[in-house]
Amino acid sequence: MSSKRKPDQELQPTASTGFSRRGFLGTASATAGAVGSGLLEQTAEAAPPAVMGPGEAEITLTINGKAAKVKVEPRTTLLDACRERLEITGAKRVCDRGTCGACTMIVNGKTVYSCTTLAVDAVGKKIETVENLTAGAKTHPIVPAFANHDALQCGYCTPGMVMASKGLLDRTPNPTYEQAKAGLGGNLCRCGTYVGIRKAILEAAKELRASGARTTGGSNA
Ligand code: FES
Ligand code: FES
């Protein structure tokens, strides 16, 4: 007798497994169909992702502790939302391409270039602008320290420098001169007031330590 199997024999259940090849394929196909339809149902039930644009939509920004509703396009920057729509004009547009730092704001504790930050990406975050440093009961000491050390000339860079200094003091309450220098590495001053700015940071740090406060004048942030 030949030991070669006839084709039909391959489809019969084997003694060891109880499955035939055809039966197995049928079961697998049914299982795949069930899983597939389950996935389809899940996909149908899942909430569709929020779609915005290309036109304007209303968002809420939390700026200096206050909620502000504003209509923006998805491409609108945080700087434009503040300056053009909300009349919060302390941050300046100078390069408008993330190189000079004149537009610096603090978002969730980090200094950012607001000219390259989308307004929609700032939703749900704490945004602090230079206006906040004089908004509370007490002015933040970095403000008078800039005046005391002649840390500004034309003033184009100043709001950004002040906010970058404030952000540095929040992170490093007792900076060295070198840390003050490195901490403002992302901000440019065409008038060259860097030495005065670094001295202002050290003076403000001293004031903050003396008053026992890490942050003042930012009570709304
Ligand atoms: S205006 Fe934003 S970095 Fe220059
Ligand atoms: S004070 Fe003029 S650019 Fe800095």
Side-chain angles (χ1 to χ4, degrees):
M1 184 192 281
S2 166
S3 62
K4 195 176 175 186
R5 269 188 185 169
K6 292 177 185 173
D8 278 352
Q9 285 180 308
E10 293 181 349
L11 301 176
Q12 300 309 309
T14 64
S16 58
T17 65
F19 287 108
S20 70
R21 184 164 157 245
R22 176 172 291 166
F24 175 78
L25 290 174
T27 305
S29 167
T31 304
V35 171
S37 65
L39 282 176
L40 282 175
E41 280 167 22
Q42 277 184 4
T43 306
E45 285 171 9
V51 176
M52 187 182 170
E56 291 186 347
E58 187 174 84
I59 60 171
T60 302
L61 298 174
T62 306
I63 304 175
N64 302 329
K66 293 177 188 155
K69 289 188 186 299
V70 59
K71 284 188 176 176
V72 295
E73 293 178 18
R75 63 177 179 159
T76 305
T77 64
L78 179 57
L79 180 66
D80 280 343
C82 287
R83 288 187 61 85
E84 310 298 334
R85 300 295 173 100
L86 295 168
E87 296 187 6
I88 298 172
T89 57
K92 303 298 179 226
R93 184 202 318 279
V94 176
C95 72
D96 206 19
R97 59 182 62 188
T99 58
C100 75
C103 62
T104 301
M105 295 182 189
I106 298 176
V107 177
N108 271 3
K110 289 186 181 170
T111 49
V112 301
Y113 294 146
S114 61
C115 71
T116 53
T117 301
L118 293 176
V120 292
D121 282 341
V123 172
K125 297 177 182 171
K126 286 183 179 179
I127 303 158
E128 188 178 4
T129 70
V130 70
E131 284 86 350
N132 201 44
L133 302 188
T134 53
K138 216 172 167 189
T139 296
H140 192 289
I142 193 64
V143 177
F146 260 62
N148 294 343
H149 291 277
D150 287 332
L152 66 157
Q153 288 186 37
C154 76
Y156 271 95
C157 72
T158 308
M161 285 290 189
V162 169
M163 287 308 282
S165 301
K166 200 267 183 184
L168 171 68
L169 289 167
D170 287 346
R171 296 190 305 276
T172 313
N174 189 14
T176 62
Y177 185 87
E178 283 305 312
Q179 284 174 319
K181 184 177 175 182
L184 267 67
N187 293 65
L188 298 176
C189 174
R190 291 158 183 81
C191 301
T193 60
Y194 297 108
V195 172
I197 292 170
R198 291 167 200 155
K199 287 181 179 172
I201 291 171
L202 298 186
E203 181 185 301
K206 204 169 159 188
E207 284 293 316
L208 287 169
R209 285 198 303 278
S211 67
R214 234 180 116 172
T215 301
T216 56
S219 54
N220 290 325

